């Protein structure tokens, strides 16, 4: 597969891990805005903070002067985080203007990302958005009044579609529209949904249904599984006893005839399973390492069971 | 910069002796072994010679060795060929940690309605033989369990499992994918492996080229050919034989088994030193499969709170080749199914790195990895939102933070 990264992406990453001056690794103490996105379970997570030059009278004129990140993630996740901070500091924007920075701006800044890494840039844009909302709360700015769509807490409320990455229907729906996602692979590349167990792809209410609903239904082929598991009837036991009865008799014989002998030598026996006349057993305690363990199973245990229960019984060492 | 190659469970360098064995069949003797003229006879003799040598090394009979193109083909052929042998039985037993060349084939069967048992593994990557016994059914058709795991290196007790299967019901077929173990672990077709029906391996894990493999089929096993359409391999694997690589495979197996025990001891000593030194230098580092019987050449590490792809990228910058089970390197978005089956905590499953050694690795190369790896980890931990670099341990609030950032 190899690394399909642009030179810019590679440089941003290597500069970041080496802590080259001018990189933005870290976390601002008492930040004016803090946003997090992702989780360690998903494989990447970003903690983004920024500081503003506070305007004395009008908070909406605050200007972001410093941005920092901590990122758990792959090469491109770290490069995208670094890119996000640089973009913001270079632009000298207000937090509200910063909302105009979209994931595509991050992709462009790093000279492109491989398709399956697009979600790294989405993570950056999401964390920025969360940080701006956090700033608005702290500074008492009512984003709604300014005509900025405050996102509902859709993630907590909606129906869970992608269980692997914990993504809900309202969230997936919004992202399909925002990022103009037209197919399941595009959804997966952008927001990871459907990238793991894949069961949500074609189940009712799954990704395809959501896509169809958002963009209108197109003809598609549904693959149905051909046949079903056969059901086998329980075979009658050869000895005339049911498997249950046979099992009980085996256990009784082992308790009464075998265990007392083994206990004398500091050992014991574990019955792992009984299938018809086959008894799966292992010697434990002192018998476990005993050199004649296998012979004990055959000559002592098997013989006793053949005599007392059924002569067809075989003991298999486990 | 010199390349330090430590990804030998992925593929290996072709041994110079193997190259020598191959070249005459590329340069001079290019004939189709099925043709009638004299020179073609040399080509077919070369195949039979290779077959005898491989059989002798494994303690098998020559007619039990079928040449294939790779272990994936061998696994497909083994499983699909076993199904055709007895259509009245349907149940298949395998493990949750098989290579995709088995796992996906079996999952495909399951989709087509075959009942399948996927046996779990414990935290060390081991199977509980008791689970295996309980999984055996009256309608069990096939058991397919790998000999050693490619990611963790953990070895399954194939000898015991095959014996239990045959004592239970000789008509159940037993297949093992021995791709990672052939040449490394003892395999004696008439000895410890006498209860195994089908065994797969490939050349490129033991210093032969990519594109050649083998399937060992026990005489008398009910198994039907998978690739048909030609009389080659006694009509059990159609297709013009890869004469050159088959000759190379025999030489590669000879090389591996001539000094197997000394080589295993040398690899194990290097691996153990790497393991010891890295675990001593790096906090919050786990050895996956530690405490289990493992391949001598494999070291699979889980580094908590960082992601594996960034580790590989930095290793690559030092010329060191390794691999990771992280989601970002898998092509899908899922981290390794093997490590997840082992229940490696999710703080570490993305930070796995596998070093796998071969006879061409040296002590100096191990030194180099010991020298650079701790810094690579420190670099990424400095960036991690869960790590306190000043105290060199997870942040106090790492746990809350993990819980607080479920939104993604």
């Amino acid at each position: 597969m190899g690394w399909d990264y642009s030179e810019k992406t590679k440089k941003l990453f290597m500069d970041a891990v080496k802590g080259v001056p001018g990189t933005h690794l870290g976390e601002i103490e008492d930040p004016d805005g803090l946003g997090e996105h992702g989780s360690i379970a998903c494989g990447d997570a970003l903690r983004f903070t920024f500081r503003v030059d506070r305007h004395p009278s009008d908070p909406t004129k605050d200007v972001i002067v410093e941005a920092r990140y901590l990122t758990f993630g792959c090469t491109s996740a770290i490069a995208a985080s670094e890119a996000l901070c640089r973009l913001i500091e270079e632009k000298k924007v207000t937090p509200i203007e910063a909302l105009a920075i979209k994931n595509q701006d991050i992709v462009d800044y790093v000279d492109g990302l491989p398709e399956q890494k697009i979600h790294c840039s989405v993570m950056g844009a999401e964390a920025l958005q969360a940080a701006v909302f956090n700033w608005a709360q702290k500074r008492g700015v009512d984003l709604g009044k300014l005509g900025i769509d405050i996102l509902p807490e859709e993630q907590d409320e909606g129906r869970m579609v992608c269980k692997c990455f914990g993504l809900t229907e309202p969230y997936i729906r919004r992202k399909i529209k925002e990022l103009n996602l037209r197919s399941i692979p595009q959804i997966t590349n952008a927001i990871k949904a459907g990238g793991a167990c894949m069961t949500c792809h074609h189940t009712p209410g799954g990704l395809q249904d959501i896509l169809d609903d958002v963009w209108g239904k197109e003809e598609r082929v549904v693959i149905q599984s051909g046949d079903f598991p056969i059901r086998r009837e329980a075979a009658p036991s050869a000895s005339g006893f049911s498997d249950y009865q046979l099992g009980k008799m085996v256990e009784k014989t082992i308790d009464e005839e075998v265990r007392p002998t083994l206990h004398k030598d500091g050992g014991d026996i574990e019955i792992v399973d009984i299938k018809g006349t086959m008894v799966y057993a292992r010697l434990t305690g002192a018998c476990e390492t005993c050199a004649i363990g296998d012979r004990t199973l055959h000559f002592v245990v098997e013989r006793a069971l053949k005599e007392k229960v059924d002569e067809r019984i075989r003991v298999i060492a486990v | 910069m010199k390349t330090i190659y430590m990804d030998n469970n992925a593929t290996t360098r072709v041994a110079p002796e193997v190259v020598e064995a191959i070249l005459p069949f590329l340069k001079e003797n290019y004939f189709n072994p099925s043709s009638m003229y004299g020179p073609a006879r040399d080509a077919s003799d070369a195949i039979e010679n290779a077959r005898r040598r491989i059989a002798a090394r494994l303690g098998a009979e020559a007619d039990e060795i079928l040449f294939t193109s790779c272990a994936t083909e061998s696994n497909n052929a083994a499983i699909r060929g076993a199904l055709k042998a007895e259509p009245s039985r349907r149940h298949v037993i395998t493990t949750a940690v098989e290579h995709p060349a088995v796992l996906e084939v079996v999952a495909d069967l399951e989709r087509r309605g075959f009942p399948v048992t996927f046996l779990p593994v414990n935290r060390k990557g081991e199977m509980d033989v008791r689970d295996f016994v309980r999984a055996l059914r009256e309608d069990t058709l096939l058991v397919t369990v790998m000999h050693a795991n490619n990611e963790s290196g953990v070895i399954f007790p194939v000898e015991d499992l095959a014996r239990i299967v045959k004592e239970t019901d000789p008509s159940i077929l037993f297949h093992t994918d021995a791709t990672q173990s052939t040449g490394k672990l003892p395999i004696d077709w008439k000895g410890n492996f006498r209860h195994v029906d089908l065994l797969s391996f490939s050349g490129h894990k033991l210093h032969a080229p990519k594109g050649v493999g083998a399937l060992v089929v026990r005489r008398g096993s009910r198994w039907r050919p998978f690739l048909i359409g030609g009389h080659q391999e006694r009509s059990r694997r159609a297709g013009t034989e890869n004469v050159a690589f088959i000759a190379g495979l025999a030489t590669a197996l000879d090389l591996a088994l001539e000094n197997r025990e000394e080589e295993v001891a040398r690899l194990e000593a290097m691996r153990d030193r790497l393991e010891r030194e890295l675990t001593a230098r790096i906090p919050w580092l786990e050895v996956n499969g530690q405490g289990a019987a493992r391949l001598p050449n494999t070291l699979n590490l889980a580094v908590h709170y960082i992601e594996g792809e960034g580790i590989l990228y930095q290793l690559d910058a030092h010329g060191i080749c390794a691999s990771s089970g992280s989601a970002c390197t898998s092509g899908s978005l899922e981290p390794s199914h093997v490590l997840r089956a082992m229940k490696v905590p999710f703080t570490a499953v993305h930070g796995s790195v596998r070093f796998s050694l071969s006879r061409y690795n040296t002590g100096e190369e191990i030194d180099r990895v010991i020298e650079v790896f701790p810094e690579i980890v420190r670099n990424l931990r400095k960036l991690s939102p869960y790590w306190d670099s000043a105290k060199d341990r997870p942040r106090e609030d790492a746990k809350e933070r993990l819980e607080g950032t479920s939104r993604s």
Side-chain angles (χ1 to χ4, degrees), chain A residues 11-318:
Chain A
K11 185 165 185 333
L12 286 169
F13 171 76
M14 285 313 275
D15 285 355
V17 292
K18 287 180 182 157
V20 169
T23 49
H24 295 78
L25 152 72
E27 181 173 359
I28 294 167
E29 267 184 56
D30 292 324
D32 295 304
L34 182 156
E36 288 184 289
H37 194 80
S39 83
I40 200 166
C42 299
D44 41 30
L46 166 59
R47 184 175 170 88
F48 172 76
T49 48
F50 68 72
R51 192 168 62 75
V52 294
D53 243 358
R54 295 196 172 201
H55 191 275
S57 54
D58 183 358
T60 62
K61 290 184 180 148
D62 286 358
V63 175
I64 302 179
V65 289
E66 195 184 357
R68 291 288 181 270
Y69 69 93
L70 289 172
T71 295
F72 168 89
C74 58
T75 304
S76 53
I78 288 165
S81 309
E82 181 61 41
L84 170 68
C85 293
R86 291 188 186 194
L87 264 170
I88 286 173
E89 288 188 4
E90 283 168 14
K91 282 182 192 275
K92 303 239 178 305
V93 286
T94 68
I96 291 167
E97 288 163 343
L99 286 175
I101 298 173
K102 298 294 180 201
N103 79 299
Q104 191 56 44
D105 298 305
I106 297 173
V107 175
D108 292 343
Y109 194 91
V110 301
D111 290 344
L113 281 174
E115 239 182 45
Q116 68 273 20
K117 299 287 188 178
I118 294 295
H119 62 83
C120 297
S121 66
V122 174
M123 178 168 76
E126 296 272 343
L128 167 64
Q129 215 173 47
V132 170
F133 291 149
N134 175 258
W135 159 85
Q137 248 172 5
K138 283 184 181 160
R139 294 284 279 155
V141 176
D142 188 342
L143 292 173
K145 268 195 190 153
L146 296 167
I148 293 161
D149 187 18
I150 300 170
L151 298 170
E153 281 302 310
E154 60 201 6
Q155 202 51 32
D156 299 328
E157 290 158 13
R159 176 179 64 88
M160 190 68 77
V161 176
C162 171
K163 294 194 176 70
C164 300
F165 292 111
L167 301 174
T168 61
E169 181 177 346
Y171 176 79
I172 294 170
R173 238 171 226 283
R174 175 164 67 84
K175 285 289 149 191
I176 286 175
K177 287 185 215 154
E178 270 180 29
L179 304 171
N180 189 28
L181 308 174
R182 296 282 173 166
S183 67
I184 293 175
Q186 283 180 350
I187 295 180
T188 304
N189 286 334
I191 59 171
K192 294 189 167 194
C197 76
M198 302 183 188
T199 50
C200 63
H201 287 195
H202 294 287
T203 44
L207 296 180
Q208 189 62 51
D209 283 358
I210 298 175
L211 275 172
D212 290 345
D213 194 51
V214 172
W215 303 120
K217 200 174 184 137
E218 285 167 34
E219 282 294 307
R220 63 191 165 87
V221 182
V222 178
I223 301 159
Q224 281 185 336
S225 63
D227 41 7
F228 296 91
I230 53 162
R231 185 177 290 126
R232 288 178 74 91
E233 299 302 326
S237 158
S239 60
F241 293 112
S242 73
D243 282 354
Y244 176 78
Q245 287 171 313
L246 209 65
K248 282 284 165 205
M249 288 157 73
V250 166
E251 279 170 12
K252 185 164 179 280
T253 307
I254 285 183
D255 282 345
E256 289 171 4
E257 312 278 329
V258 178
R259 283 217 160 88
T261 320
L262 297 177
H263 284 172
K264 272 186 220 157
D265 295 325
D268 204 345
I269 185 169
E270 177 189 346
I271 304 298
V272 173
D273 200 6
I274 302 170
K275 297 179 199 289
T277 54
M278 278 176 297
V279 177
Y280 297 82
R282 62 165 56 159
L283 295 173
T284 57
C287 299
E288 199 176 345
T289 48
C290 169
I292 56 156
D294 276 0
R295 276 156 60 197
T296 306
L297 273 180
H298 281 109
F299 291 109
V300 180
V301 183
E302 189 172 285
R303 189 167 293 172
L305 293 173
K306 275 178 188 295
E307 257 174 43
K308 300 278 172 179
V309 184
D310 188 315
E311 62 180 16
R312 283 161 308 184
I313 280 186
R314 283 191 295 130
V315 174
I316 298 176
V318 173

Side-chain angles (χ1 to χ4, degrees), chain B residues 53 103 132 136-137 144 180 189-190 203-204 230 242 279 326 328 364 371:
Chain B
R53 281 159 65 201
L103 203 60
F132 177 78
L136 285 167
R137 300 184 353 188
T144 172
Q180 293 295 345
W189 199 239
K190 292 198 182 72
H204 77 111
N242 188 344
T279 43
S326 116
C328 284
E364 291 81 63
E371 187 189 328

Side-chain angles (χ1 to χ4, degrees), chain B residues 129-149:
Chain B
V129 182
R130 290 172 293 194
D131 289 340
F132 177 78
V133 165
R134 289 175 193 128
L136 285 167
R137 300 184 353 188
E138 229 174 339
D139 63 334
T140 301
L141 162 69
L142 171 72
V143 175
T144 172
V145 172
M146 69 199 327
H147 191 196
N149 188 274

Side-chain angles (χ1 to χ4, degrees), chain B residues 273-345:
Chain B
R273 186 160 70 86
L274 185 61
E275 175 175 324
R276 212 169 42 239
E277 295 297 326
L278 292 183
T279 43
R281 285 168 161 80
I282 301 168
W284 288 77
L285 178 75
E286 276 187 55
V287 177
N288 294 316
Q290 195 169 39
R294 271 184 297 161
L295 286 173
N297 75 322
T298 306
L299 177 59
N300 191 315
L301 300 169
V303 193
H304 282 262
Y305 298 110
I306 56 175
E307 207 276 341
E309 197 231 24
I311 301 176
L312 293 194
Y313 190 84
Q314 292 183 79
L315 281 170
D316 190 35
H318 289 287
I320 300 166
C321 310
S323 66
S324 167
S326 116
C328 284
T329 59
S330 69
S332 76
L333 288 167
E334 274 282 78
S336 149
H337 70 285
V338 176
L339 301 182
R340 280 187 305 123
M342 289 165 71
K343 301 197 172 58
V344 173

